[in-house]
Amino acid sequence: MEDLFLKALPLLHELKKHGWQAYFVGGAVRDTQMNRTVGDIDIATDAAPEEIEKIFPKTIDVGKKHGTIIVLWEGESYEVTTFRAELDYEDHRRPSGVHFIHSLKEDLKRRDLTINAMAMDTEGRLIDYFGGLHDIQTKLIQTVGNPAERFHEDALRMLRALRFMSQLDFTLSPHTKQAICENRYLLAHISTERKTTEFEKLLQGKAVNAALLIAVETGLYKELPGLEGKKEGLLTACCFPFHQLETKAQLWAAFIDKLAIHPDQAQKFLKAWKLPGKVIQEALKIAGYIDQHWDRLAMYQAGEETLISAVMIHMLKEHQSIDRHQLAEVRQSYQKLPIKSLKDLAVTGNDLILMKNNPPGKWVSEDLTQIEQAVLCGELDNQKKAIEEWLDKCNQT
Ligand code: ATP
Ligand code: MG
């Protein structure tokens, strides 16, 4: 058993000591079977949330009525979820209620994909009722049970299927694919935020190519914000190695660039995905510089982070990889700029007013812009005296 599981093992023992069942479940079990880095450790038990709260001194109620409690333990936090069966689903997105049960098998049965529906006990033994391990070995994404039924319950699962294809480089079972073709319209019932979270993970997966291709073949892309009518763009975007990027802003900048979204439409497109305002602003800025010819002025105007982001995306467009050495050189050129912002100029607007003994007016900002440009291209030293002389000379000519 891996260290992360060993660290969480006392929680399972504690639950069992009180007479409950307790297992590791979900993504962590899948990842350990695949020798992938394990992320969050999730625990399932038949103890009701109130019982869990009684057993552990430090808990956070994150969704008690759905059976989820966070237990804080030795500096880590674990999601502990009560075995549950979901009652009828409303609107293809949420169950009308849950009821707590005592059967691990029933709990695993409500999970989305076979690879996500395995459990591991305190001895490290795998519990695999739905062929999850076989699907890991054959690299197959399929739902637990009938895909059409499972998508009717919660339509997000269609997008999750493609997200895991992309992240794990698995293929989609033909049966599940067919059900996506037939039920994709149900995604209209899902909140944009949930779709965005899954889609960002899809874009960052190593097999984004195959996943986007399936999105096109099944027509699922038409149910995603702003993508209706963007089939050609998506087919171009398919081959872009988004996973080599580092931030959300870079990811979305590259995506709108590959989709060839017109700059006038870009903000509306990003807003349709309900991204945070900061991500939208930065992505728009980066996108505007991707194919920039970089001189000192452009570097200065872009600023360091936007410059680096835009250059990274440009490199990926050209060579499918990021030349770290060249990127470091770009950063150095930026560092060498004589000024990084107007604040760095040796004179202020006030200085100019005093120097020229003129009343304030539009001329101040015009002069500052001229000085800024002269300093940037190395024509003028960023020193008060030099600037004063330069201004005098300019006025004489
Ligand atoms: P990741 O490593 O990306 O977090 P994960 O498998 O842990 O992957 P989560 O979204 O954190 O994915 O979900 C945790 C588990 O909950 C899943 O492994 C799956 O068993 C179950 N699950 C999540 N979303 C759904 C859903 N929409 N329908 C059914 N089961 C789901
Ligand atoms: Mg998880």
Side-chain angles (χ1 to χ4, degrees):
M1 215 186 276
E2 269 180 71
D3 284 356
L4 277 175
F5 288 105
L6 290 176
K7 202 164 173 218
L9 203 52
L11 262 85
L12 268 59
H13 284 305
E14 201 62 26
L15 284 161
K16 287 176 80 174
K17 214 170 76 190
H18 286 80
W20 305 110
Q21 304 171 53
Y23 298 90
F24 297 116
V25 288
V29 178
R30 172 199 70 223
D31 290 338
T32 191
Q33 292 299 324
M34 294 182 64
N35 294 321
R36 245 175 132 239
T37 318
V38 171
D40 302 333
I41 302 258
D42 295 329
I43 293 166
T45 176
D46 62 341
E50 289 74 21
E51 302 298 334
I52 301 169
E53 284 175 328
K54 271 190 233 160
I55 297 173
F56 299 101
K58 287 192 210 147
T59 57
I60 306 170
D61 173 0
V62 282
K64 207 160 148 185
K65 67 174 194 295
H66 295 110
T68 306
I69 295 276
I70 294 215
V71 174
L72 303 174
W73 182 272
E74 310 246 310
E76 302 287 337
S77 64
Y78 300 96
E79 233 178 71
V80 182
T81 307
T82 308
F83 292 168
R84 63 186 201 218
E86 286 160 357
L87 303 175
D88 285 346
Y89 284 77
E90 283 170 3
D91 315 336
H92 315 289
R93 59 185 152 143
R94 63 180 123 82
S96 54
V98 298
H99 72 114
F100 301 138
I101 54 176
H102 291 280
S103 156
L104 171 68
K105 186 170 180 181
E106 285 302 309
D107 179 81
L108 295 175
K109 196 171 157 190
R110 66 155 178 100
R111 292 170 185 270
D112 53 357
L113 307 171
T114 58
I115 57 167
N116 289 345
M118 297 181 292
M120 191 167 82
D121 70 9
T122 47
E123 307 305 311
R125 284 179 299 233
L126 187 71
I127 295 126
D128 177 18
Y129 296 112
F130 306 104
L133 187 60
H134 176 265
D135 289 348
I136 284 177
Q137 284 157 353
T138 54
K139 294 178 168 249
L140 193 66
I141 297 290
Q142 60 179 328
T143 55
V144 176
N146 181 302
E149 278 171 26
R150 304 312 310 285
F151 297 155
H152 267 267
E153 293 167 359
D154 180 355
L156 187 72
R157 291 170 185 159
M158 294 185 270
L159 193 49
R160 284 176 59 86
L162 267 56
R163 182 262 269 207
F164 283 106
M165 268 188 77
S166 175
Q167 285 186 319
L168 307 178
D169 195 7
F170 280 20
T171 51
L172 188 64
S173 94
H175 200 40
T176 301
K177 182 175 171 184
Q178 182 59 28
I180 293 180
C181 288
E182 287 161 12
N183 297 286
R184 63 171 163 83
Y185 66 94
L186 295 174
L187 266 174
H189 298 276
I190 302 295
S191 76
T192 304
E193 289 83 353
R194 289 179 81 201
K195 287 189 267 203
T196 300
T197 304
E198 293 299 332
F199 192 70
E200 284 177 339
K201 291 183 181 175
L202 183 160
L203 279 185
Q204 288 167 293
K206 57 184 177 215
V208 56
N209 194 334
L212 285 181
L213 224 67
I214 296 274
V216 168
E217 284 170 16
T218 56
L220 177 136
Y221 75 98
K222 294 180 195 165
E223 313 300 329
L224 297 174
L227 292 186
E228 172 102 63
K230 293 279 181 296
K231 184 174 165 182
E232 298 311 317
L234 273 173
L235 290 172
T236 321
C238 270
C239 303
F240 189 85
F242 295 98
H243 65 275
Q244 294 191 46
L245 294 171
E246 286 158 8
T247 68
K248 295 262 160 81
Q250 291 170 357
L251 182 71
W252 287 98
F255 191 53
I256 54 180
D257 184 79
K258 293 308 287 180
L259 285 180
I261 305 263
H262 192 275
D264 292 346
Q265 296 298 312
Q267 185 170 27
K268 190 170 155 224
F269 178 82
L270 297 177
K271 275 193 173 161
W273 286 89
K274 300 220 169 126
L275 299 171
K278 247 188 106 178
V279 174
I280 296 183
Q281 287 320 314
E282 186 58 17
L284 291 173
K285 196 169 175 209
I286 297 170
Y289 282 107
I290 291 173
D291 296 319
Q292 179 72 39
H293 168 73
W294 293 104
D295 54 18
R296 289 185 189 188
L297 188 62
M299 286 200 280
Y300 171 82
Q301 283 168 342
E304 186 169 10
E305 289 320 310
T306 304
L307 162 70
I308 294 297
S309 297
V311 171
M312 277 167 77
I313 297 171
H314 187 77
M315 286 173 172
L316 290 174
K317 275 174 80 174
E318 298 287 305
H319 312 291
Q320 295 279 309
S321 68
I322 294 168
D323 182 337
R324 294 283 158 191
H325 181 71
Q326 209 184 333
L327 201 63
E329 282 177 1
V330 171
R331 208 183 273 279
Q332 268 174 17
S333 319
Y334 178 84
Q335 294 298 347
K336 280 193 208 140
L337 289 179
I339 53 171
K340 311 285 189 298
S341 82
L342 205 54
K343 285 202 299 275
D344 299 338
L345 267 194
V347 295
T348 63
N350 240 348
D351 292 333
L352 294 187
I353 293 168
L354 292 174
M355 278 176 197
K356 288 204 175 176
N357 203 14
N358 274 349
K362 218 172 100 197
W363 67 271
V364 180
S365 67
E366 287 168 359
D367 274 16
L368 279 175
T369 306
Q370 278 194 320
I371 298 168
E372 190 183 31
Q373 296 197 359
V375 168
L376 268 175
C377 38
E379 270 175 38
L380 172 59
D381 272 351
N382 187 25
Q383 280 170 5
K384 210 166 170 174
K385 189 135 195 320
I387 295 173
E388 200 167 356
E389 286 167 11
W390 184 80
L391 279 173
D392 281 345
K393 216 163 66 193
C394 288
N395 284 343
Q396 282 158 21
T397 54

